[in-house]
Amino acid sequence: MVGYAFMGAAHSQAWRTVNRVYDLPAQVRMALVCGRDTGKVAEAADRLGWEAHTTDWRRLVESDEIDVVDICTPGDSHAEIALAALAAGKHVLCEKPLANTVAEAREMAAAAVAAQTAGVRSMCGFTYRRVPAVTLMRQMVAEGRLGTIRHVRAAYLQDWIVDPQFPLVWRLQKDKAGSGALGDIGAHIIDMTQYVTGQRITGVSAITETFVKQRPLPAEYSGLAAQAAGNGAADGQGPDMGPVTVDDAAVFVARLDDGALATYEASRFATGRKNALRVEINGSLGTLVFDLERLNELEFYDATRPAAEQGFTRILVTEAEHPYMSAWWPPGHIIGYEHSFTHQARDLVEAIATGVDPAPSFVDGLQVQLVLDAVTRSAELGSTWTHVEPALEAVAA
């Protein structure tokens, strides 16, 4: 695994757990974790359960002991690591968004498709697909329970950068993160709605905003480092500041390829909202609603019921018959955020062991990247309606 912070810890928990929960055709061995700081990665290896550690990700790619490379780094390094790993015949799990640019994502998707012929598997880490309620939502839509899909309504809201004194971390820098709220959390609802509906976003009209344009540099970048970066701050004149180069919020409307209308909102300035992801799908025969803050539940309105019996029904997704739940607890005993990563690990191990290409694929990751790019271009052009190229055409090109 490359990277050991927030996502690295979540992935590590999954790798530690997956063989203890599911009966799988292969055993996971957590061989090697990589990070830039020797002391910190050594501590992380011990805490998270890795056998060894390194500061050079090429060791993972070149080692004959390694079968799978798990990429949990900022987006600016995804392409280089993933392309090298695929070329070396390693299976790859790469966190979302797949890359920082369409060009990088296209190259990664093409390499992944080529590697499939040699039995090399790859997956993009949109883990919310693995929340049992979300998987059930997709199944119900596919079974026709909602009829014709007419509306998609999606929002992902956080507030962790509302304070203008919050430092200029890597997620607020375009060269490292690619984009702001749009790519960080907007990517999740883009993928989730396309996954649940089985429909592709074909066009968008967008607006983005950066509410706080300058932020204090983190301590390790202050002083001389800040001056070298050309921010103009002088010693003794308050905290060194740097420009925020990503969006704080993005709002867009979209059309899906079967005709549905959709609205999307991604913001890290929604005061009071910590991790509020909500998706609602309206169809001719009913409605389904998922709320991440109640991730064991779905709301279902069945318009085919007699009028006197209609109303939203709460489905508690904890039965053994529900997706992924057969390995966990008795009905009514809820699971949490971390379980989706264990489900992701299960699906990847099973795919590798049985010779099946897992989903979401790198092509799926490219599809999301194409939407992110269209949203950005639309916002730059005054909300102009912007076409979204199909990912398979982009790979072929």
Side-chain angles (χ1 to χ4, degrees):
M1 185 175 73
V2 191
Y4 55 81
F6 172 31
M7 277 300 100
H11 283 226
S12 296
Q13 188 274 341
W15 294 126
R16 288 196 311 270
T17 304
V18 66
N19 283 119
R20 293 173 172 83
V21 177
Y22 291 101
D23 183 16
L24 295 174
Q27 287 290 316
V28 170
R29 174 185 159 211
M30 297 169 63
L32 188 61
V33 63
C34 177
R36 290 172 296 182
D37 183 287
T38 301
K40 290 180 180 178
V41 74
E43 184 277 330
D46 182 63
R47 174 170 47 86
L48 299 176
W50 293 88
E51 294 177 8
H53 58 86
T54 181
T55 56
D56 183 3
W57 60 262
R58 292 168 183 81
R59 263 191 69 191
L60 285 71
V61 170
E62 296 167 358
S63 172
D64 292 335
E65 284 190 279
I66 304 298
D67 301 303
V68 180
V69 174
D70 184 357
I71 304 170
C72 297
T73 58
D76 61 336
S77 59
H78 285 186
E80 183 181 15
I81 299 170
L83 291 171
L86 290 169
K90 312 297 185 187
H91 309 292
V92 177
L93 172 60
C94 183
E95 258 302 324
K96 51 56 57 189
L98 188 62
N100 277 2
T101 68
V102 167
E104 289 177 340
R106 182 186 287 112
E107 187 178 6
M108 293 167 71
V113 170
Q116 290 173 0
T117 61
V120 177
R121 313 298 168 188
S122 52
M123 177 190 282
C124 189
F126 286 105
T127 52
Y128 289 139
R129 288 190 180 202
R130 265 79 187 190
V131 174
V134 174
T135 308
L136 178 62
M137 195 179 192
R138 172 184 167 87
Q139 290 178 3
M140 293 176 70
V141 171
E143 290 166 0
R145 301 294 296 277
L146 298 192
T148 301
I149 303 302
R150 291 170 172 162
H151 289 290
V152 173
R153 205 166 288 106
Y156 200 163
L157 309 176
Q158 298 176 344
D159 73 351
W160 57 276
I161 56 173
V162 167
D163 183 355
Q165 294 306 306
F166 188 89
L168 188 70
V169 297
W170 70 266
R171 290 186 186 275
L172 305 179
Q173 301 172 52
K174 185 177 178 65
D175 62 332
K176 297 180 177 64
S179 65
L182 176 61
D184 184 19
I185 55 180
H188 274 301
I189 52 176
I190 291 167
D191 179 74
M192 185 185 293
T193 54
Q194 292 187 135
Y195 167 70
V196 166
T197 63
Q199 296 187 35
R200 182 182 64 82
I201 295 172
T202 60
V204 300
S205 174
I207 186 169
T208 62
E209 182 59 67
T210 303
F211 298 111
V212 176
K213 308 290 198 283
Q214 298 272 330
R215 288 186 178 275
L217 291 171
E220 61 265 34
Y221 298 120
S222 62
L224 293 176
Q227 292 178 28
N231 66 35
D235 289 341
Q237 295 185 5
D240 295 315
M241 305 292 285
V244 176
T245 51
V246 299
D247 58 282
D248 288 331
V251 178
F252 63 97
V253 295
R255 185 176 290 278
L256 279 64
D257 60 6
D258 245 9
L261 301 181
T263 62
Y264 294 84
E265 180 182 6
S267 177
R268 299 193 292 212
F269 266 74
T271 305
R273 297 297 183 185
K274 304 306 175 184
N275 198 40
L277 185 162
R278 181 181 171 89
V279 169
E280 178 171 321
I281 312 294
N282 306 132
S284 58
L285 301 180
T287 288
L288 278 166
V289 184
F290 171 75
D291 185 336
L292 183 62
E293 293 180 350
R294 294 158 47 202
L295 65 76
N296 292 272
E297 303 175 22
L298 277 182
E299 291 183 74
F300 177 42
Y301 187 97
D302 185 353
T304 67
R305 301 287 299 167
E309 300 175 9
Q310 288 180 11
F312 276 95
T313 298
R314 169 179 172 264
I315 302 174
L316 185 61
V317 189
T318 59
E319 299 291 328
E321 293 79 12
H322 287 140
Y324 299 107
M325 292 303 298
S326 61
W328 295 110
W329 319 119
H333 292 70
I334 62 176
I335 62 171
Y337 171 79
E338 72 277 13
H339 293 76
S340 61
F341 293 92
T342 304
H343 302 157
Q344 174 178 262
R346 187 205 79 162
D347 289 350
L348 181 57
V349 170
E350 282 194 338
I352 292 170
T354 58
V356 174
D357 290 315
S361 65
F362 277 20
V363 174
D364 295 326
L366 171 60
Q367 185 65 56
V368 173
Q369 202 81 44
L370 289 162
V371 177
L372 298 176
D373 179 70
V375 169
T376 300
R377 288 186 286 117
S378 173
E380 290 173 346
L381 295 171
S383 305
T384 300
W385 186 258
T386 303
H387 172 70
V388 178
E389 182 184 9
L392 290 176
E393 291 183 12
V395 171

